[in-house]
Amino acid sequence: MTALPRLYAKGHSSLDGVAPVTLWNVGNYKYEIEARKNSYYAESEVFEASYEEAMEKFEKMVDKVEML
């Protein structure tokens, strides 16, 4: 059985205020933070953490968190 990715939160980069950043749950205690630099390039980081740890890390990367 494979897990479907679930979008938990989104926001804009705290560095430039423009680049969209999203937090995805991609499995059991696995999360992905994706930053879209432009329509052709995105950077992402997949890591294992609890939900609280993942949200803390995400909140440090964005200006304002929008929960979904």
Side-chain angles (χ1 to χ4, degrees):
M1 180 174 167
T2 60
L4 295 174
R6 289 178 293 203
L7 180 61
Y8 279 157
K10 63 182 182 177
H12 289 91
S13 172
S14 60
L15 297 176
D16 65 4
V18 177
V21 181
T22 53
L23 174 65
W24 296 87
N25 176 298
V26 292
N28 222 8
Y29 294 103
K30 286 193 177 187
Y31 295 90
E32 177 180 10
I33 295 177
E34 178 184 51
R36 292 218 161 258
K37 303 296 182 182
N38 59 42
S39 60
Y40 302 105
Y41 181 71
E43 290 183 356
S44 66
E45 176 185 359
V46 178
F47 57 95
E48 290 188 21
S50 69
Y51 173 78
E52 292 81 14
E53 293 169 338
M55 281 304 296
E56 286 177 16
K57 187 172 190 171
F58 182 74
E59 288 171 348
K60 291 178 183 177
M61 298 179 76
V62 297
D63 286 337
K64 179 182 168 194
V65 175
E66 182 181 333
M67 300 297 293
L68 303 172

